[in-house]
Amino acid sequence: MTALDRDSGCDITVAVRAGGWRGALPDAPKICRRAAHAALAVAGVRNVAAELGIVLGDDDLVAGYNLEWRDEAGPTNVLSFPVRDLVPGAPFASAAHDAPVLLGDVVIAFEYAGAEAERHGIAFSDHVSHLVIHGVLHLLGHDHERKDQADRMEALEISALSRLGVASPLARGHASVP
């Protein structure tokens, strides 16, 4: 258990739902947990009993969710499904005394994310870390619809990536990849 794991107090479940993950990134669950804990830390979530799930799927799974929940055809790199609307930076507590705060789920499409990493010359593991961070920040109420929101969210992403020793894709001259 790392310091990141102990500090956040969050239980993170990673479900591998597509076989490609095991061959391309066998340590994906560990990478995802570390990235999620980094996102929680930079967002100020510490010592809160919380739970979140990460699903490592394929393009078909994500395309189905994208159509059902966003009315958009085709896959995307990452989707977030928050359990409730949270205000970034505001303290939160469980509705039931001593029950963990359920944050939601982050779903990543294997083929889409892999092609994106290759296209931008980013290590797949680094890109997955970025996608997880991006998704977890959405679960915590962060968004990028307006410029001020996008600037704040990107700053948090860069900070979380830095905690993991991963260079920001913005520093490499790429637009915000997620």
Side-chain angles (χ1 to χ4, degrees):
M1 182 177 281
T2 69
L4 282 175
D5 298 333
R6 288 188 302 274
D7 291 345
S8 77
C10 190
D11 183 24
I12 300 165
T13 302
V14 179
V16 180
R17 298 285 185 237
W21 288 99
R22 288 181 183 88
L25 199 59
D27 55 347
K30 179 180 176 184
I31 290 167
C32 290
R33 283 186 192 93
R34 288 190 72 236
H37 284 296
L40 293 163
V42 300
V45 177
R46 290 181 181 79
N47 302 315
V48 175
E51 294 180 4
L52 70 89
I54 299 170
V55 178
L56 302 177
D58 59 16
D59 282 6
D60 288 339
L61 177 72
V62 173
Y65 289 152
N66 207 18
L67 184 60
E68 180 176 353
W69 295 101
R70 298 178 66 220
D71 203 26
E72 294 188 22
T76 187
N77 52 12
V78 61
L79 292 172
S80 295
F81 298 97
V83 169
R84 63 178 109 174
D85 292 331
L86 296 175
V87 176
F92 55 88
S94 173
H97 183 65
D98 292 333
V101 176
L102 302 177
L103 297 176
D105 295 310
V106 173
V107 185
I108 300 174
F110 173 73
E111 297 90 347
Y112 196 106
E116 204 169 45
E118 187 174 321
R119 183 171 58 252
H120 293 292
I122 301 168
F124 189 45
S125 59
D126 291 352
H127 189 48
V128 168
S129 292
H130 190 184
L131 295 174
V132 168
I133 290 165
H134 186 86
V136 170
L137 290 174
H138 275 307
L139 295 181
L140 296 173
H142 293 276
D143 208 344
H144 44 80
E145 293 299 316
R146 296 187 328 252
K147 179 156 179 27
D148 62 323
Q149 293 172 327
D151 291 345
R152 174 73 179 138
M153 191 166 175
E154 285 179 2
L156 290 170
E157 289 174 7
I158 291 167
S159 180
L161 287 167
S162 176
R163 284 175 169 259
L164 300 174
V166 175
S168 165
L170 300 173
R172 296 185 196 114
H174 299 295
S176 181
V177 177

